[in-house]
Amino acid sequence: MTSRAGEPFVPARAVAEAEQLLATAVPPTGPTTAHGDPATGEWTATEGAGFRIVPLWEGDPLTGVYAPEWNDAEDAAEAHLAGLAEELDHRWGPHTTVRLHVALLRRQSGGGAPVEPLFQALFAEDLYGDLTLWGPIGAAGPGGSGDRWFAVTVGHSDGDAPLVLAALVSDRPVTEPNGGPASPREGRERPYH
């Protein structure tokens, strides 16, 4: 569960939160830390070296829900993501897609190559969906300015868990773990692979 449980999806609010997140300072180094609401423990944010991830919306729990209602809930979450992506495309230009299947396979194998902290942080919050990514975006943030990468994704832990729409900001290029660039301007900063 996230701190957004029970809130309706409001596109204008999601866009405003995306723009605010783009300007948020991210830790340059350090461990990955998940934060929760002090009263409920529900997830509010995760931050690590060069990134921050936050929930934007959480759907209703899917306990006891079966098709076609389950499919309707999944379609609604994907529609929220698509609508937000369309609005952000107007503001920041066309997005790209970063597929997470290679990082997920690494995580599931246990003994293979390490999973990057950013992807590990996404998986820790059950965010397994591909990333809809923009960047680099020039952003003036606290303490200065610099290029940022911004992404949104939808995920959930199992068939009964609510679907969650989350966003992330990074001060480093976000690329697919197999090395595929997510942006035409790669190599300027430290990527997450």
Side-chain angles (χ1 to χ4, degrees):
M1 298 288 283
T2 75
S3 60
R4 306 316 288 262
E7 294 180 9
F9 180 74
V10 179
R13 182 182 68 200
V15 169
E17 289 177 3
E19 290 180 331
Q20 180 181 10
L21 182 60
L22 188 64
T24 299
V26 294
T29 61
T32 300
T33 306
H35 303 280
D37 182 279
T40 65
E42 294 171 332
W43 177 57
T44 58
T46 299
E47 57 188 16
F51 67 87
R52 182 171 175 83
I53 307 167
V54 300
L56 295 177
W57 169 81
E58 179 180 316
D60 295 328
L62 299 174
T63 305
V65 175
Y66 300 98
E69 291 84 8
W70 194 95
N71 294 339
D72 291 344
E74 189 174 56
D75 290 346
E78 291 295 333
H80 294 333
L81 181 130
L84 179 57
E86 183 177 344
E87 181 58 36
L88 295 178
D89 281 347
H90 290 302
R91 293 167 186 264
W92 300 334
H95 64 270
T96 58
T97 300
V98 174
R99 296 170 301 197
L100 299 185
H101 67 280
V102 171
L104 185 57
L105 288 172
R106 285 181 188 166
R107 180 177 188 243
Q108 291 172 338
S109 71
V115 177
E116 298 82 355
L118 172 65
F119 300 129
Q120 193 69 271
L122 289 166
F123 299 154
E125 299 304 333
D126 300 317
L127 298 168
Y128 303 111
D130 291 341
L131 301 177
T132 301
L133 178 76
W134 293 265
I137 304 167
S145 65
D147 286 342
R148 295 291 181 97
W149 284 258
F150 183 90
V152 289
T153 186
V154 169
H156 70 116
S157 59
D158 60 40
D160 292 338
L163 291 149
V164 173
L165 172 63
L168 73 85
V169 65
S170 170
D171 67 359
R172 301 161 197 183
V174 179
T175 61
E176 291 184 16
N178 64 2
S183 144
R185 291 172 50 194
E186 68 174 312
R188 289 187 39 208
E189 303 201 29
R190 301 171 311 276
Y192 281 109
H193 75 278

